[in-house]
Amino acid sequence: MKLVYLSTARVPDEWAHVIQIMKMCEAFADAGHDVTLAIPQRGRTSGEDPFTYAGVRSNFRIVKLPCVDVNPGSQGKMLFWLRTFSFLVVARCYLLCTAYDLLYTRELFALGDLTKTVFELHSQTDAVRRARHSLIRSRAVVCISQGLADDVVVSGIPREKLVVAPDGVSLGDFERPESSDLARKRLGIPSDKPVALYIGILDTWKGVETLYAAAALMPEVRTVVIGAHDGAEKRLAVEYPHVTFIPFQPYRELANNQQIADVLILPNSGKEAISAKYTSPLKLFSYMASGKPIVASDLPSLREVLSESNTFFAKADDPASFAATVRYVLAHPEEARARASAAQKNVTRYSWTARAEHILSEIE
């Protein structure tokens, strides 16, 4: 089958959705299909090889299509829409001239043959509601969580049109990480205290404010956050002196960086639906693959994958609960090892290859 994955993403780039797109293209190709990733030709894009950056094999091709990219790198609303819709118009011409069997995309306004189009949704938004008629007429709609699928049905999309497929992980990336001592030395983290680690973007809905407050309640633990952008770690270090901030690190270093942790933190907020009901965080699966104990917010979105057998839950948006749970984990090493081991076993069902095969089996 000839599959085109259409995305407006800048590739390569550091954001998790770019890694997810590249991993899915690799997985679709591994399933035996002829895969092309069609993306915009963007200015100020890293010259690094996109396959190397994302840690995927070059078993699919990348086609870059022109777009109106005024002031590359700008996130201004008007320039964003100009760039996006100019790309989608060019992509429409590309699709008309290309023989393909399936168009896979996260772009709600992609202009392809809807009978051959599979849309992937990551949140319930006004844009999803506006695209309802296209979603209904499409081949299928993939939702990354059951909570998202339930709300999409409420908005008028038939349940039989939906495929629920949580995100995944490349298990091979985590088979031979470096030692904790080497990882801490490389990142400049002293070994005088146990480490509670968060890796990811610092958006409010990710719950980082809860973690910052929890850090002040457990000074005997070194709380480390990896993911600050544009020099923000210096400002944050002044504002939150109980937290050690490390700038964003490339995805290919994730497995090694996780090894500095004695406990990994997933502090998602319960105040927004995208976090409480819809998300399927890539870090959830990489945490599970690490062999380290996890402390996570007790939220429906996370419980779709996690349970008391493989995770320690804390009350979302409650710094005291997180601090107490981290202390419990550190005080009960045998139980922590058992749950971490269970997580490693459980995560094997969430490979990118298994995800791609599940999606394709549901739409054929």
Side-chain angles (χ1 to χ4, degrees):
M1 178 171 66
K2 291 187 176 181
L3 185 154
V4 175
Y5 196 127
L6 183 70
S7 174
T8 59
R10 181 197 301 270
V11 178
D13 207 351
E14 60 202 36
W15 301 107
H17 71 275
V18 176
I19 301 299
Q20 196 252 19
I21 289 166
M22 294 288 285
K23 292 290 188 180
M24 283 303 298
C25 287
E26 179 187 43
F28 283 136
D30 280 343
H33 303 290
D34 183 355
V35 179
T36 299
L37 172 61
I39 55 174
Q41 179 71 55
R42 298 282 302 276
R44 297 183 186 174
T45 300
S46 167
E48 187 169 357
D49 179 73
F51 298 99
T52 300
Y53 189 90
V56 301
R57 302 188 317 284
S58 54
N59 60 350
F60 60 95
R61 69 184 65 86
I62 297 177
V63 172
K64 293 191 175 183
L65 305 177
C67 67
V68 180
D69 193 13
V70 180
N71 191 15
S74 169
Q75 296 301 312
K77 193 171 184 179
M78 287 186 60
L79 295 180
F80 168 80
W81 286 115
L82 176 62
R83 183 170 62 238
T84 298
F85 281 107
S86 64
F87 166 72
L88 292 177
V89 169
V90 174
R92 171 60 171 166
C93 297
Y94 168 78
L95 292 171
L96 287 172
C97 299
T98 301
Y100 66 93
D101 301 298
L102 189 71
L103 173 64
Y104 196 95
T105 185
R106 294 170 57 161
E107 311 303 331
L108 289 170
F109 301 103
L111 303 171
D113 181 345
L114 288 174
T115 64
K116 298 180 179 180
T117 301
V118 175
F119 291 99
E120 180 169 307
L121 303 183
H122 286 241
S123 185
Q124 171 72 306
T125 63
D126 288 340
V128 172
R129 297 180 185 93
R130 289 195 296 270
R132 183 169 64 91
H133 294 295
S134 294
L135 295 172
I136 291 172
R137 294 165 56 203
S138 70
R139 178 87 164 264
V141 178
V142 175
C143 297
I144 60 168
S145 67
Q146 187 61 53
L148 176 57
D150 291 343
D151 278 9
V152 168
V153 169
V154 172
S155 70
I157 312 301
R159 190 173 291 277
E160 59 269 21
K161 181 75 68 174
L162 305 182
V163 178
V164 176
D167 275 325
V169 67
S170 294
L171 297 171
D173 292 348
F174 299 87
E175 288 179 346
R176 292 178 295 276
E178 68 183 349
S179 69
S180 176
D181 288 342
L182 285 176
R184 290 190 184 193
K185 183 177 181 180
R186 175 172 51 81
L187 292 172
I189 302 299
S191 299
D192 58 334
K193 296 180 180 181
V195 170
L197 175 65
Y198 170 88
I199 300 178
I201 62 173
L202 309 185
D203 288 352
T204 301
W205 67 271
K206 296 289 188 178
V208 291
E209 296 288 342
T210 298
L211 178 58
Y212 301 160
L217 300 177
M218 49 181 189
E220 75 280 11
V221 176
R222 188 177 304 280
T223 301
V224 178
V225 171
I226 300 178
H229 286 83
D230 302 323
E233 67 276 6
K234 297 177 181 178
R235 172 183 58 80
L236 291 166
V238 173
E239 190 172 353
Y240 302 103
H242 293 93
V243 180
T244 299
F245 291 94
I246 296 175
F248 168 83
Q249 303 290 304
Y251 178 83
R252 60 180 174 271
E253 297 176 9
L254 176 59
N256 290 336
N257 290 341
Q258 287 184 154
Q259 292 305 303
I260 72 171
D262 293 283
V263 56
L264 291 161
I265 311 297
L266 194 60
N268 282 61
S269 173
K271 297 178 181 179
E272 298 184 47
I274 188 174
S275 179
K277 299 169 68 176
Y278 305 154
T279 191
S280 181
L282 297 193
K283 70 172 65 62
L284 183 160
F285 303 98
S286 65
Y287 280 9
M288 293 176 73
S290 71
K292 303 285 185 177
I294 302 166
V295 171
S297 294
D298 192 355
L299 295 173
S301 59
L302 303 184
R303 277 191 176 269
E304 288 191 22
V305 175
L306 301 175
S307 70
E308 279 87 355
S309 68
N310 58 29
T311 302
F312 296 86
F313 287 106
K315 185 177 180 181
D317 305 298
D318 187 335
S321 178
F322 268 88
T325 307
V326 168
R327 286 194 176 106
Y328 180 90
V329 171
L330 296 174
H332 297 81
E334 290 187 10
E335 183 180 355
R337 282 193 293 271
R339 295 200 198 189
S341 177
Q344 275 191 311
K345 293 177 182 177
N346 296 157
V347 79
T348 58
R349 74 187 73 160
Y350 295 105
S351 70
W352 291 116
T353 300
R355 184 178 195 263
E357 291 174 348
H358 167 62
I359 291 170
L360 293 172
S361 69
E362 289 292 316
I363 65 176
E364 289 177 350

